[in-house]
Amino acid sequence: MTWHEITIAGYASLALTVVAFQVASRKPDSRIPPLRTTLGRVMATRSGRVAVLAAWAWLGLHFFAL
Amino acid sequence: MPGLSRWRAAHPTTASRTARPRPPLPPGVRDGRVIVLALAGFFDGVSDNWLHGLVLWTAASVVGWEAAQERLGVAAPERPLLPPPGPGRRSRTTSALLVVTALLFAATVGSWHRYTWPMTAAVVLVAVAGLAVGWRGPLTAPTGAPTLDRVGSRLWVGLAVAAGLWELFALSQQPSFTQGSYAHPTVSVLMDSVLSTHAGRSLVLLGWLALGWFLLDATRVTPRSRSRTPLLQVEVTDDLA
């Protein structure tokens, strides 16, 4: 297995883990909250909203802007 | 060391004379969100993108300042942008308008080349609008959902940290911070081939807009908990310092 394949596998594992957590959160009495609810908690304050939205804004700048 | 602690207990005056009080870090600096933004800004900077690094450092400073204001209870009041959800027809019309606008934006702006002034202006405009909405307050007034399970929440945070570390590992394995690597591609390197076409740029722009809306919409479901401590709060105690 090459390093390229290992790196891609790492990204794929992270993406699959997101899906797994989200599926697990739908079970009754699950301790894992849905992603939207978790984000809602992080963004419950202005500082949290600015932090998360700054990261989102940076994504757009990073891929498209000067 | 048990012997040392017994000695200190027996000689409190000597212990207090020799112990140097450590100045506590300002609350804003201890905040994990500030640390993450500042680190991301640093690595973006050393990747020859100091302008974007400056954006992240500015965001880190603003977050730290605002977090300190919130702790002191002197933060500016928040004002929800939208009224509570009304009749179905109105919200469906608004949603349809937003979707059509997003599609037009993605199709039009996606036809422009990356790293050009028109593309930059369009993305900056949307980014600033999103930040302005988030600064003002949640999208609607919080609904008061149940408190989150702390362990479950930290799993999400841990996953985000793991993703950041994996990206950082790939970046560190490049020939240099400014030169991509086939063996250790970062997300940016992987996206280059997608973003080289009009369709690819439009799709990614649409995804970025959808992510922004998802984040703003998440502010509608704000679990009310007694603790306003951010999930990424890092408490520096004497044991850790």
Side-chain angles (χ1 to χ4, degrees), chain A residues 4 11 33 46 49 56 58 62, chain B residues 44 134-135 156 167 182 188:
Chain A
H4 179 82
Y11 288 127
R46 178 176 286 127
R49 285 192 303 275
W56 164 78
W58 173 84
H62 185 67
Chain B
D44 210 9
W135 179 269
W156 282 114
E167 176 80 354
Y182 175 78
S188 300

Side-chain angles (χ1 to χ4, degrees), chain B residues 32-46 53 56-57 60 165 168 171:
Chain B
R33 300 166 298 184
V34 174
I35 294 170
V36 168
L37 286 171
L39 278 176
F42 170 76
F43 284 109
D44 210 9
V46 296
L56 288 170
W57 284 333
L165 287 175
L168 200 57
L171 183 68

Side-chain angles (χ1 to χ4, degrees), chain A residues 35-53, chain B residues 78-83 85 130-145 211-224 228:
Chain A
L35 179 59
R36 187 168 176 259
T37 310
T38 306
L39 284 168
R41 173 69 178 90
V42 173
M43 298 172 78
T45 58
R46 178 176 286 127
S47 57
R49 285 192 303 275
V50 171
V52 173
L53 289 170
Chain B
E78 300 182 351
R79 295 173 295 159
L81 182 69
L82 302 173
L131 282 165
V133 169
W135 179 269
R136 177 193 166 109
L139 212 55
T140 57
T143 57
L211 177 62
W213 178 251
F214 174 76
L215 293 173
L216 285 174
D217 196 56
T219 61
R220 294 180 196 253
V221 243
T222 306
R224 280 294 185 203
R228 300 291 274 182

Side-chain angles (χ1 to χ4, degrees), chain B residues 95-176:
Chain B
S95 299
L97 276 173
L98 281 173
V99 169
V100 168
T101 305
L103 286 170
L104 284 174
F105 178 90
T108 307
V109 177
S111 66
W112 303 340
H113 288 285
R114 299 163 72 192
Y115 313 128
T116 59
W117 282 111
M119 173 69 88
T120 300
V123 170
V124 166
L125 197 67
V126 173
V128 167
L131 282 165
V133 169
W135 179 269
R136 177 193 166 109
L139 212 55
T140 57
T143 57
T147 308
L148 293 183
D149 185 291
R150 211 163 180 83
V151 171
S153 306
R154 298 258 161 135
L155 283 176
W156 282 114
V157 173
L159 183 59
V161 170
L165 287 175
W166 190 246
E167 176 80 354
L168 200 57
F169 172 72
L171 183 68
S172 69
Q173 297 301 306
Q174 292 182 165
S176 73

Side-chain angles (χ1 to χ4, degrees), chain B residues 170-224:
Chain B
L171 183 68
S172 69
Q173 297 301 306
Q174 292 182 165
S176 73
F177 283 127
T178 57
Q179 188 180 351
S181 164
Y182 175 78
H184 301 276
T186 58
V187 173
S188 300
V189 170
L190 290 171
M191 292 295 290
D192 276 343
S193 56
V194 174
L195 295 172
S196 62
T197 63
H198 176 186
R201 286 192 296 273
S202 294
L203 275 173
V204 173
L205 272 170
L206 195 60
W208 180 66
L209 290 174
L211 177 62
W213 178 251
F214 174 76
L215 293 173
L216 285 174
D217 196 56
T219 61
R220 294 180 196 253
V221 243
T222 306
R224 280 294 185 203

